[in-house]
Amino acid sequence: MLKVITERIKQGYRTIPFPAGEMPQLPERYRGLPVIDSSKCPDGCAKCVEACPTDAITIDGDMKIDLGRCLFCTDCMDACPEGAIEYTPDFRLATSTREGLIIDGKAFELAQSIDEKSRRIFGRSLQLRQVSAGGCNGCEADINVLGTVVFDLGRFGIHIVASPRHADGLIVTGPVTQNMKLALEKTYAATPAPKFVIAVGACAISGGPFIDHDEQNNGCDSIVPVDMYIPGCPPHPLTILDGILRLLGRIEGNER
Amino acid sequence: MTVLAEYVRTLNGKPVALADVPVVPMEVFRETLKEQLARTSSELSALFGVPVDSEGVRVYAVVSDGASSEITICATDVGQRYPALTPYITQAHWFERELAEQWGVVPEGHPWLKPIRFHRSYRHGQDAWGRVVGDRILPCVQPVGTDYFKVRGDEIHEVAVGPVHAGVIEPGHFRFQCHGEHVFTLEIELGYQHRGIERRLIGGPDKRTLHYMETLAGDTSIGHATAYSQLIEGLSGSEAPLRAQAIRVAALELERLANHTGDLGALAGDVGYLPTLSFCGRIRGDFLNATGLICGNRFGRGLIRPGGVAFDLDDAMTADLQKRLTAAHRDVTGAANLLWSSGSVMARFENTGQVSLETTKALGIIGMAGRASGNDRDVRRDVPSGYYRFAQIPVSTWHTGDAFARAYVRHLEIQRSCHYLLEHLPEVPGGKLRRDVGPIQADAIAVSLVEGWRGEICHVALTDSEGKFAHYKVIDPSFHNWIGLAMSLRDQQISDFPLCNKSFNLSYCGHDL
């Protein structure tokens, strides 16, 4: 027992104050919300469009990036001769709508919280069931991290539960493979209403790297209604936490 | 009479012309493999089919030998059916199930021929189980080809778990045949994560190829991206600069550290020992953040590129990494030592889920789980490539084959990876980060092996006359090892399943592809 206590003292207190206090510092090379400067684009140049592995970029007059497809890789930046695309360190990426993920370099609207009545029900206690439906287990790993002492999801009254019967909503990851489609439908049906669905990661939003494969369904919103989209490949744990707290109205607007 | 060689020899990452791979009759193929695999230093790294025309399938076998650091390749042609290899070469059992599922070829006499991923055959109308085109394939419950081990008798019951599990875990289906708490057999059915990657690699490399590699198994992004990059470099006759090779090894060891640390914590959690669970959850993040410091992504996405690496280390970053690693090394050692000195933990770890060395060798269980049963194999030493040729990391093994051994080998590997990084990070050789890769050799075959944190990652590419992938085979270490988890549950208590499962911590997506 003494050994445990000694070790506990050495390991220290590790929970981050987020969302209170200063914004957590992410590494300099971290790739968060991209910014676009279409004015730098030479006429007819589409090098970024050609380079993007998931066809997330379109140029129709102005350049647009679909964050739902974006893998946050460097391929577009590397291809661009003018530096028109850059990543910022802003990890706040969750939106309430699929269209909201399509950015054009102007204002980016972060997710809205649920209505006042739902907030009274779920604001201080939200039980979520996770369904992993394809993908690479990266998003699952970074959801799991929220349970560690660093993020301590439990302090917000949010837990991942072991049955859909105990859940207020689903966190879905993966493009929804054909082999997982039925299991997702059944899990959704088994969750009592009112309920939410949060789609985490490029796969669950659009199919991600597996877009248009016959073996999957290009994400979960063709199968279950989605209330929140959290993009990334995988999203940083802070991005996911920020999203869930916004859903509950515990972070609002551009507040940090 | 000229005696032809039964196989062609090569080295890790070095291509050979497809025409140089001998195609031998099935009996010769089988006897050659039997003879090669009788050596304790050899292992069946890959066995897969490639369609040669509308009629037949060519089966390639790749054997790696730790004693000579050589890789050998041989081939044979099969028609609709052929006499199964598994009765003679046990480690072929899962490969032959894959072969049957992908190409509709029946290995006759296979002891347990079932699909492994539940998809349609890639040869239209050819199905090993006689399923009709257009029939819906329901994973694990479809009647044809999905029988389960059955035990009959009074009070015998069956427990079915999954595909959706209780925590944040990938999907898979587990069937236990039990008598009370006692488990007679566990059968594991996968395929829920199947997203059809291998088929999409044909005709590449293209702009999505590398991203497929990084998402074959997210926790092994660096391992698979390195195996792929090494293969492309070999096929184009180039080599990554030494500096890039050293950074790749640093990234591979960081990946190992993060995963092993997370697993030690999860193992502690599965026996209800919360201090190590809490500590390791955080320390795992410290190792992931170290990777994030280098390339901006905690899983190493974007770091490894054919021809080198995309991000450099500078002096300030190296110093920062040293500082973080020194602290994380102390913390993870302290957290792990609590396990070994806690009687209640050791009582649950020891003698739980034992897999003998004999079983390990017969079934081809590899990597960290294999080393915990005394299977002294490690690609980093046996078939080295990249910077591992210049800087060696001692191989860690244990002899008891139980959950304790799999935890303790992780602990030993954590120690050695930390020592390696602390010693070598300040001495990363200078030079360029990346070299252009030239055109890819046409009509060639190359094998790339990397010791990922779970074990041997094997990628095999066959190119066509234009230097595009005619076939690309990925074998994640989990492919070899799922059967090890099933074996570890025999004659155990069903309540030991979470502990045994975590002690292997295999990848569903890496298997399902």
Side-chain angles (χ1 to χ4, degrees), chain B residues 186-264:
Chain B
L186 158 64
E187 222 178 325
I188 300 167
E189 297 275 55
L190 302 168
Y192 294 96
Q193 299 277 62
H194 179 59
R195 49 217 188 280
I197 298 177
E198 270 188 356
R199 281 209 291 172
R200 296 315 184 296
L201 295 170
I202 295 170
D206 57 36
K207 64 179 183 178
R208 227 192 262 187
T209 309
L210 185 67
H211 301 282
Y212 284 134
M213 299 301 159
E214 291 183 331
T215 52
L216 287 167
D219 55 25
T220 318
S221 293
I222 295 164
H224 278 291
T226 304
Y228 165 71
S229 298
Q230 210 166 269
L231 199 58
I232 293 292
E233 287 151 16
L235 280 165
S236 65
S238 60
E239 198 170 348
L242 204 55
R243 183 169 181 80
Q245 293 185 21
I247 294 174
R248 280 181 188 176
V249 165
L252 280 165
E253 295 308 320
L254 281 171
E255 189 168 78
R256 193 179 322 279
L257 283 166
N259 284 296
H260 281 1
T261 302
D263 287 351
L264 283 183

Coordinates of all heavy atoms in Angstrom, one line a residue, chain B residues 186-264:
Chain B
L186 N -13.1 -21.6 -27.4 CA -13.5 -20.3 -27.8 C -13.3 -20.2 -29.3 O -12.2 -20.6 -29.8 CB -12.7 -19.2 -27.2 CG -12.6 -17.8 -27.9 CD1 -14.0 -17.1 -27.9 CD2 -11.6 -16.9 -27.2
E187 N -14.3 -19.7 -30.0 CA -14.1 -19.5 -31.5 C -14.3 -18.1 -31.8 O -15.2 -17.4 -31.3 CB -15.1 -20.4 -32.2 CG -14.4 -21.0 -33.4 CD -15.4 -21.9 -34.2 OE1 -16.3 -22.5 -33.6 OE2 -15.2 -21.9 -35.4
I188 N -13.4 -17.5 -32.6 CA -13.4 -16.1 -32.9 C -13.8 -15.9 -34.4 O -13.2 -16.5 -35.3 CB -12.0 -15.5 -32.6 CG1 -11.7 -15.7 -31.1 CG2 -12.0 -14.0 -33.0 CD1 -10.2 -15.4 -30.8
E189 N -14.8 -15.1 -34.6 CA -15.3 -14.8 -35.9 C -15.1 -13.3 -36.2 O -15.6 -12.4 -35.4 CB -16.8 -15.1 -36.1 CG -17.1 -16.6 -35.9 CD -16.9 -17.4 -37.2 OE1 -15.8 -17.3 -37.8 OE2 -17.8 -18.0 -37.6
L190 N -14.4 -12.9 -37.3 CA -14.1 -11.5 -37.5 C -14.8 -11.1 -38.9 O -15.6 -11.8 -39.4 CB -12.6 -11.3 -37.5 CG -12.0 -11.7 -36.2 CD1 -10.4 -11.7 -36.4 CD2 -12.3 -10.7 -35.1
G191 N -14.3 -10.0 -39.4 CA -14.8 -9.6 -40.7 C -15.7 -8.4 -40.7 O -16.0 -7.8 -41.7
Y192 N -16.1 -8.0 -39.4 CA -17.0 -6.8 -39.3 C -16.3 -5.5 -39.8 O -16.9 -4.5 -40.1 CB -17.5 -6.6 -37.9 CG -18.4 -7.8 -37.5 CD1 -17.9 -8.9 -36.8 CD2 -19.7 -7.7 -37.8 CE1 -18.7 -9.9 -36.4 CE2 -20.6 -8.8 -37.4 CZ -20.0 -9.9 -36.7 OH -20.9 -10.9 -36.4
Q193 N -15.0 -5.5 -39.7 CA -14.2 -4.3 -40.1 C -13.8 -4.3 -41.5 O -13.0 -3.5 -42.0 CB -13.0 -4.1 -39.2 CG -13.2 -4.0 -37.7 CD -13.6 -2.5 -37.4 OE1 -14.5 -2.0 -37.8 NE2 -12.7 -1.9 -36.5
H194 N -14.2 -5.3 -42.3 CA -13.7 -5.5 -43.7 C -14.2 -4.3 -44.5 O -15.4 -4.1 -44.7 CB -14.2 -6.8 -44.2 CG -13.8 -7.0 -45.6 ND1 -12.4 -7.0 -46.0 CD2 -14.5 -7.1 -46.8 CE1 -12.3 -7.2 -47.3 NE2 -13.5 -7.3 -47.8
R195 N -13.2 -3.6 -45.0 CA -13.6 -2.4 -45.9 C -12.9 -2.4 -47.2 O -12.9 -1.4 -47.9 CB -13.2 -1.1 -45.1 CG -11.8 -1.1 -44.5 CD -11.8 -0.4 -43.1 NE -10.5 -0.2 -42.6 CZ -9.8 -1.1 -42.0 NH1 -10.2 -2.3 -41.9 NH2 -8.6 -0.8 -41.6
G196 N -12.4 -3.6 -47.6 CA -12.0 -3.9 -49.0 C -10.7 -3.1 -49.4 O -10.6 -2.7 -50.5
I197 N -9.7 -3.0 -48.5 CA -8.5 -2.2 -48.9 C -7.6 -2.9 -49.9 O -7.2 -2.3 -50.9 CB -7.7 -1.9 -47.6 CG1 -8.5 -1.0 -46.6 CG2 -6.4 -1.2 -48.0 CD1 -7.8 -0.7 -45.4
E198 N -7.4 -4.2 -49.7 CA -6.4 -4.9 -50.6 C -6.8 -4.8 -52.0 O -6.0 -4.6 -52.9 CB -6.3 -6.4 -50.2 CG -5.3 -6.7 -49.2 CD -5.0 -8.2 -48.9 OE1 -5.8 -9.0 -49.5 OE2 -4.1 -8.5 -48.2
R199 N -8.1 -4.9 -52.3 CA -8.6 -4.9 -53.7 C -8.3 -3.5 -54.3 O -8.1 -3.4 -55.5 CB -10.1 -5.1 -53.8 CG -10.5 -6.6 -53.7 CD -11.7 -6.8 -54.4 NE -12.9 -6.2 -53.8 CZ -14.1 -6.2 -54.3 NH1 -14.3 -6.7 -55.5 NH2 -15.1 -5.7 -53.7
R200 N -8.4 -2.4 -53.5 CA -8.2 -1.1 -54.0 C -6.8 -0.7 -54.2 O -6.4 0.3 -54.8 CB -8.8 0.0 -53.0 CG -10.3 -0.2 -52.9 CD -11.0 -0.3 -54.2 NE -12.4 -0.4 -54.1 CZ -13.1 -1.3 -53.5 NH1 -12.5 -2.3 -52.8 NH2 -14.4 -1.3 -53.5
L201 N -5.9 -1.5 -53.7 CA -4.4 -1.3 -53.9 C -4.0 -1.7 -55.2 O -3.0 -1.2 -55.7 CB -3.6 -2.0 -52.8 CG -3.9 -1.5 -51.4 CD1 -3.2 -2.4 -50.3 CD2 -3.4 -0.1 -51.2
I202 N -4.7 -2.5 -55.9 CA -4.4 -3.0 -57.2 C -4.4 -1.8 -58.2 O -5.4 -1.0 -58.2 CB -5.3 -4.2 -57.7 CG1 -5.0 -5.4 -56.7 CG2 -5.1 -4.6 -59.1 CD1 -6.0 -6.5 -56.9
G203 N -3.4 -1.7 -59.1 CA -3.4 -0.6 -60.0 C -2.6 0.6 -59.5 O -2.3 1.5 -60.2
G204 N -2.3 0.5 -58.2 CA -1.5 1.6 -57.5 C 0.0 1.5 -57.8 O 0.3 0.6 -58.6
P205 N 0.8 2.2 -57.1 CA 0.4 3.2 -56.1 C -0.2 4.5 -56.7 O 0.1 4.9 -57.8 CB 1.8 3.6 -55.5 CG 2.8 3.2 -56.5 CD 2.3 2.1 -57.3
D206 N -1.2 5.0 -56.0 CA -1.8 6.3 -56.4 C -1.9 7.2 -55.1 O -1.4 6.9 -54.1 CB -3.2 6.1 -57.0 CG -4.1 5.3 -56.1 OD1 -4.1 5.5 -54.9 OD2 -4.9 4.5 -56.7
K207 N -2.7 8.3 -55.3 CA -2.7 9.3 -54.2 C -3.3 8.8 -52.9 O -3.1 9.4 -51.8 CB -3.3 10.6 -54.7 CG -4.8 10.4 -55.0 CD -5.4 11.8 -55.4 CE -6.9 11.7 -55.7 NZ -7.5 13.0 -56.1
R208 N -4.1 7.7 -53.0 CA -4.7 7.2 -51.7 C -3.9 6.1 -51.1 O -4.2 5.7 -49.9 CB -6.1 6.7 -52.0 CG -7.1 7.3 -51.0 CD -8.5 6.6 -51.1 NE -9.4 7.4 -51.9 CZ -10.7 7.1 -52.0 NH1 -11.2 6.0 -51.4 NH2 -11.5 7.8 -52.7
T209 N -2.9 5.5 -51.8 CA -2.3 4.3 -51.3 C -1.7 4.5 -49.9 O -1.9 3.6 -49.0 CB -1.2 3.8 -52.3 OG1 -1.7 3.8 -53.6 CG2 -0.6 2.5 -51.9
L210 N -0.9 5.5 -49.7 CA -0.3 5.7 -48.5 C -1.3 5.9 -47.3 O -1.1 5.4 -46.2 CB 0.6 7.0 -48.5 CG 1.5 7.2 -47.3 CD1 2.5 6.1 -47.1 CD2 2.2 8.5 -47.4
H211 N -2.4 6.5 -47.6 CA -3.4 6.7 -46.6 C -4.1 5.4 -46.2 O -4.5 5.2 -45.1 CB -4.4 7.8 -47.1 CG -3.7 9.1 -47.3 ND1 -3.4 10.0 -46.3 CD2 -3.3 9.6 -48.5 CE1 -2.7 11.0 -46.9 NE2 -2.7 10.8 -48.2
Y212 N -4.2 4.5 -47.2 CA -4.7 3.2 -46.9 C -3.7 2.5 -45.9 O -4.1 1.9 -44.9 CB -4.8 2.3 -48.1 CG -6.0 2.5 -49.0 CD1 -5.8 2.6 -50.4 CD2 -7.2 2.7 -48.5 CE1 -6.9 2.9 -51.2 CE2 -8.3 2.9 -49.3 CZ -8.2 3.0 -50.7 OH -9.2 3.2 -51.5
M213 N -2.4 2.7 -46.1 CA -1.4 2.0 -45.3 C -1.5 2.6 -43.8 O -1.4 1.8 -42.9 CB 0.0 2.3 -45.8 CG 0.2 1.8 -47.2 SD 0.0 0.0 -47.2 CE -0.3 -0.3 -49.0
E214 N -1.8 3.9 -43.8 CA -1.8 4.5 -42.4 C -3.1 4.2 -41.7 O -3.2 4.4 -40.5 CB -1.7 6.0 -42.5 CG -0.3 6.4 -43.0 CD -0.1 7.9 -43.1 OE1 -1.0 8.7 -43.3 OE2 1.1 8.4 -42.9
T215 N -4.1 3.6 -42.4 CA -5.4 3.3 -41.8 C -5.7 1.8 -41.9 O -6.9 1.4 -41.7 CB -6.5 4.1 -42.4 OG1 -6.5 3.9 -43.8 CG2 -6.4 5.5 -42.0
L216 N -4.7 0.9 -42.2 CA -4.9 -0.5 -42.1 C -5.2 -0.9 -40.7 O -6.1 -1.7 -40.4 CB -3.7 -1.2 -42.6 CG -3.4 -1.2 -44.1 CD1 -1.9 -1.7 -44.4 CD2 -4.4 -2.1 -44.9
A217 N -4.4 -0.4 -39.8 CA -4.6 -0.5 -38.4 C -4.1 0.8 -37.7 O -2.9 1.0 -37.7 CB -3.9 -1.7 -37.8
G218 N -5.0 1.6 -37.2 CA -4.6 2.9 -36.8 C -3.5 3.0 -35.7 O -2.7 3.8 -35.7
D219 N -3.5 1.9 -34.9 CA -2.5 1.9 -33.8 C -1.1 1.5 -34.3 O -0.2 1.4 -33.6 CB -2.9 1.1 -32.6 CG -3.3 -0.4 -33.0 OD1 -2.8 -0.8 -34.1 OD2 -4.1 -1.0 -32.3
T220 N -1.1 1.1 -35.6 CA 0.2 0.6 -36.2 C 0.4 1.4 -37.5 O 1.0 1.0 -38.5 CB 0.1 -0.9 -36.5 OG1 -0.5 -1.5 -35.4 CG2 1.5 -1.5 -36.8
S221 N 0.0 2.7 -37.5 CA 0.1 3.5 -38.7 C 1.6 3.6 -39.2 O 1.9 3.5 -40.3 CB -0.4 5.0 -38.4 OG -1.7 5.0 -38.2
I222 N 2.5 3.8 -38.2 CA 3.9 3.9 -38.5 C 4.4 2.6 -39.0 O 5.2 2.5 -40.0 CB 4.7 4.4 -37.3 CG1 4.2 5.8 -36.9 CG2 6.2 4.4 -37.5 CD1 4.6 6.3 -35.5
G223 N 4.0 1.5 -38.4 CA 4.5 0.2 -38.8 C 4.1 -0.1 -40.2 O 5.0 -0.5 -41.1
H224 N 2.9 0.0 -40.6 CA 2.4 -0.3 -41.9 C 2.9 0.7 -43.0 O 3.3 0.3 -44.1 CB 0.9 -0.4 -42.0 CG 0.3 -1.7 -41.5 ND1 0.5 -2.9 -42.2 CD2 -0.3 -2.0 -40.3 CE1 -0.1 -3.9 -41.5 NE2 -0.6 -3.4 -40.4
A225 N 3.0 2.0 -42.6 CA 3.5 2.9 -43.6 C 5.0 2.7 -43.8 O 5.5 2.8 -45.0 CB 3.3 4.4 -43.0
T226 N 5.7 2.2 -42.8 CA 7.2 1.9 -43.0 C 7.3 0.7 -43.9 O 8.2 0.6 -44.8 CB 7.8 1.6 -41.6 OG1 7.7 2.8 -40.8 CG2 9.3 1.4 -41.8
A227 N 6.5 -0.4 -43.6 CA 6.6 -1.6 -44.5 C 6.3 -1.2 -45.9 O 7.0 -1.7 -46.8 CB 5.6 -2.6 -44.0
Y228 N 5.3 -0.4 -46.2 CA 5.0 0.0 -47.5 C 6.1 0.8 -48.2 O 6.5 0.6 -49.3 CB 3.7 0.8 -47.5 CG 3.4 1.6 -48.8 CD1 3.0 0.9 -49.9 CD2 3.5 3.0 -48.8 CE1 2.8 1.6 -51.1 CE2 3.2 3.7 -50.0 CZ 2.9 3.0 -51.1 OH 2.7 3.7 -52.3
S229 N 6.6 1.8 -47.4 CA 7.6 2.7 -48.0 C 8.9 1.9 -48.3 O 9.5 2.1 -49.4 CB 8.0 3.8 -47.0 OG 6.8 4.6 -46.7
Q230 N 9.2 0.9 -47.5 CA 10.4 0.1 -47.7 C 10.2 -0.7 -49.0 O 11.1 -0.9 -49.7 CB 10.4 -0.9 -46.5 CG 11.8 -1.3 -46.1 CD 11.7 -2.0 -44.7 OE1 11.8 -1.3 -43.7 NE2 11.3 -3.3 -44.7
L231 N 9.0 -1.2 -49.2 CA 8.7 -2.0 -50.4 C 8.8 -1.1 -51.7 O 9.4 -1.5 -52.6 CB 7.2 -2.5 -50.3 CG 6.8 -3.6 -51.1 CD1 7.6 -4.8 -50.8 CD2 5.3 -4.0 -50.8
I232 N 8.3 0.1 -51.6 CA 8.4 1.0 -52.8 C 9.9 1.3 -53.1 O 10.3 1.3 -54.2 CB 7.6 2.3 -52.5 CG1 6.1 2.0 -52.4 CG2 7.9 3.4 -53.6 CD1 5.5 1.6 -53.7
E233 N 10.6 1.6 -52.0 CA 12.0 1.9 -52.2 C 12.7 0.7 -52.8 O 13.5 0.9 -53.7 CB 12.6 2.3 -50.8 CG 12.2 3.7 -50.4 CD 12.2 3.8 -48.8 OE1 12.8 3.0 -48.1 OE2 11.5 4.8 -48.3
G234 N 12.5 -0.5 -52.3 CA 13.1 -1.7 -52.9 C 12.7 -1.9 -54.3 O 13.6 -2.1 -55.2
L235 N 11.5 -1.7 -54.7 CA 11.0 -1.9 -56.0 C 11.5 -0.8 -57.0 O 11.6 -1.0 -58.2 CB 9.5 -1.9 -56.1 CG 8.8 -3.2 -55.6 CD1 7.3 -3.0 -55.4 CD2 9.0 -4.3 -56.7
S236 N 11.9 0.3 -56.4 CA 12.4 1.4 -57.3 C 13.9 1.5 -57.2 O 14.5 2.4 -57.8 CB 11.8 2.7 -57.0 OG 12.2 3.1 -55.7
G237 N 14.5 0.5 -56.5 CA 16.0 0.5 -56.4 C 16.6 1.6 -55.7 O 17.8 2.0 -55.9
S238 N 15.9 2.2 -54.8 CA 16.4 3.4 -54.0 C 16.4 3.0 -52.6 O 15.9 2.0 -52.2 CB 15.6 4.6 -54.3 OG 14.3 4.4 -53.9
E239 N 17.0 3.9 -51.8 CA 17.0 3.7 -50.3 C 16.7 5.0 -49.6 O 17.2 6.1 -50.1 CB 18.3 3.1 -49.9 CG 18.2 2.4 -48.5 CD 19.5 1.6 -48.2 OE1 20.3 1.3 -49.1 OE2 19.6 1.3 -47.0
A240 N 16.0 5.0 -48.5 CA 15.8 6.3 -47.8 C 17.1 6.7 -47.2 O 18.0 5.9 -46.9 CB 14.8 6.1 -46.7
P241 N 17.4 8.0 -47.1 CA 18.6 8.5 -46.5 C 18.7 8.0 -45.1 O 17.7 7.8 -44.4 CB 18.5 10.0 -46.5 CG 17.4 10.4 -47.5 CD 16.5 9.1 -47.5
L242 N 19.9 7.9 -44.6 CA 20.2 7.3 -43.3 C 19.4 8.1 -42.2 O 18.9 7.5 -41.2 CB 21.7 7.3 -43.0 CG 22.2 6.3 -42.0 CD1 21.7 4.9 -42.4 CD2 23.7 6.4 -41.8
R243 N 19.4 9.4 -42.3 CA 18.7 10.2 -41.3 C 17.2 9.8 -41.2 O 16.7 9.7 -40.1 CB 18.9 11.7 -41.7 CG 18.2 12.6 -40.6 CD 18.6 14.1 -40.9 NE 18.0 15.0 -39.9 CZ 18.5 15.1 -38.6 NH1 19.6 14.5 -38.3 NH2 17.9 16.0 -37.8
A244 N 16.6 9.7 -42.4 CA 15.2 9.3 -42.4 C 15.0 7.9 -41.8 O 14.1 7.7 -41.1 CB 14.7 9.3 -43.9
Q245 N 16.0 7.0 -42.1 CA 15.8 5.6 -41.5 C 15.9 5.7 -40.0 O 15.2 4.9 -39.3 CB 17.0 4.7 -42.1 CG 16.8 4.5 -43.6 CD 17.9 3.5 -44.1 OE1 18.4 2.7 -43.3 NE2 18.2 3.5 -45.3
A246 N 16.8 6.5 -39.5 CA 16.9 6.6 -38.0 C 15.6 7.2 -37.4 O 15.1 6.8 -36.4 CB 18.1 7.5 -37.7
I247 N 15.0 8.2 -38.1 CA 13.8 8.8 -37.6 C 12.6 7.8 -37.7 O 11.8 7.7 -36.8 CB 13.4 10.1 -38.4 CG1 14.5 11.2 -38.1 CG2 12.0 10.6 -38.0 CD1 14.4 12.5 -38.9
R248 N 12.6 7.0 -38.7 CA 11.6 5.9 -38.8 C 11.7 5.0 -37.6 O 10.7 4.6 -37.0 CB 11.8 5.1 -40.1 CG 11.2 5.8 -41.3 CD 11.5 4.8 -42.5 NE 11.1 5.5 -43.7 CZ 11.3 5.0 -44.9 NH1 11.8 3.8 -45.1 NH2 10.9 5.7 -46.0
V249 N 12.9 4.6 -37.3 CA 13.1 3.6 -36.2 C 12.6 4.3 -34.9 O 11.9 3.7 -34.0 CB 14.5 3.1 -36.1 CG1 14.8 2.5 -34.7 CG2 14.7 2.1 -37.2
A250 N 13.0 5.6 -34.7 CA 12.5 6.3 -33.5 C 11.0 6.3 -33.4 O 10.4 6.0 -32.4 CB 13.0 7.7 -33.5
A251 N 10.3 6.5 -34.6 CA 8.9 6.5 -34.6 C 8.3 5.2 -34.3 O 7.3 5.0 -33.6 CB 8.4 7.0 -36.0
L252 N 8.9 4.1 -34.9 CA 8.4 2.8 -34.6 C 8.5 2.4 -33.1 O 7.7 1.8 -32.6 CB 9.3 1.8 -35.4 CG 8.9 1.6 -36.9 CD1 10.0 0.9 -37.7 CD2 7.6 0.8 -37.1
E253 N 9.6 2.8 -32.5 CA 9.8 2.5 -31.1 C 8.8 3.3 -30.2 O 8.3 2.8 -29.2 CB 11.3 2.7 -30.7 CG 12.2 1.7 -31.3 CD 11.9 0.3 -31.2 OE1 11.4 -0.1 -30.1 OE2 12.0 -0.5 -32.2
L254 N 8.5 4.6 -30.7 CA 7.5 5.4 -29.9 C 6.2 4.7 -30.0 O 5.4 4.7 -29.1 CB 7.5 6.8 -30.5 CG 8.6 7.7 -30.0 CD1 8.5 9.0 -30.8 CD2 8.5 8.0 -28.5
E255 N 5.9 4.2 -31.2 CA 4.6 3.5 -31.4 C 4.5 2.2 -30.5 O 3.5 2.0 -29.9 CB 4.5 3.0 -32.9 CG 3.1 2.5 -33.3 CD 3.0 2.4 -34.8 OE1 3.5 1.4 -35.4 OE2 2.4 3.3 -35.4
R256 N 5.6 1.5 -30.4 CA 5.7 0.3 -29.5 C 5.5 0.8 -28.1 O 4.7 0.2 -27.3 CB 7.1 -0.3 -29.7 CG 7.2 -1.7 -29.1 CD 8.6 -2.3 -29.3 NE 9.2 -2.1 -30.6 CZ 8.9 -2.7 -31.7 NH1 8.0 -3.7 -31.7 NH2 9.4 -2.4 -32.8
L257 N 6.2 1.9 -27.7 CA 6.1 2.3 -26.3 C 4.6 2.7 -25.9 O 4.1 2.4 -24.9 CB 7.0 3.5 -26.1 CG 8.5 3.2 -25.9 CD1 9.4 4.4 -26.1 CD2 8.7 2.5 -24.6
A258 N 4.0 3.5 -26.8 CA 2.6 4.0 -26.5 C 1.7 2.8 -26.4 O 0.9 2.7 -25.4 CB 2.1 4.9 -27.7
N259 N 1.8 1.8 -27.3 CA 0.8 0.7 -27.2 C 1.1 -0.2 -26.1 O 0.2 -0.7 -25.4 CB 0.8 -0.1 -28.6 CG 0.1 0.7 -29.6 OD1 -1.1 0.9 -29.5 ND2 0.8 1.1 -30.7
H260 N 2.4 -0.6 -25.8 CA 2.7 -1.4 -24.7 C 2.3 -0.8 -23.4 O 1.8 -1.5 -22.5 CB 4.2 -1.7 -24.7 CG 4.6 -2.8 -25.7 ND1 3.8 -3.4 -26.6 CD2 5.9 -3.4 -25.9 CE1 4.4 -4.3 -27.3 NE2 5.7 -4.3 -26.9
T261 N 2.5 0.5 -23.3 CA 2.1 1.2 -22.0 C 0.6 1.2 -21.8 O 0.2 0.8 -20.7 CB 2.6 2.7 -22.1 OG1 4.1 2.6 -22.3 CG2 2.3 3.4 -20.8
G262 N -0.1 1.5 -22.9 CA -1.6 1.4 -22.8 C -2.0 0.0 -22.4 O -3.0 -0.1 -21.6
D263 N -1.4 -1.0 -23.0 CA -1.8 -2.4 -22.7 C -1.5 -2.8 -21.2 O -2.3 -3.5 -20.6 CB -1.1 -3.3 -23.6 CG -1.6 -3.3 -25.0 OD1 -2.7 -2.6 -25.2 OD2 -1.0 -3.9 -25.9
L264 N -0.4 -2.3 -20.7 CA -0.1 -2.6 -19.3 C -1.2 -2.0 -18.4 O -1.6 -2.7 -17.4 CB 1.3 -2.1 -18.9 CG 2.5 -2.9 -19.3 CD1 3.8 -2.2 -18.8 CD2 2.4 -4.3 -18.9

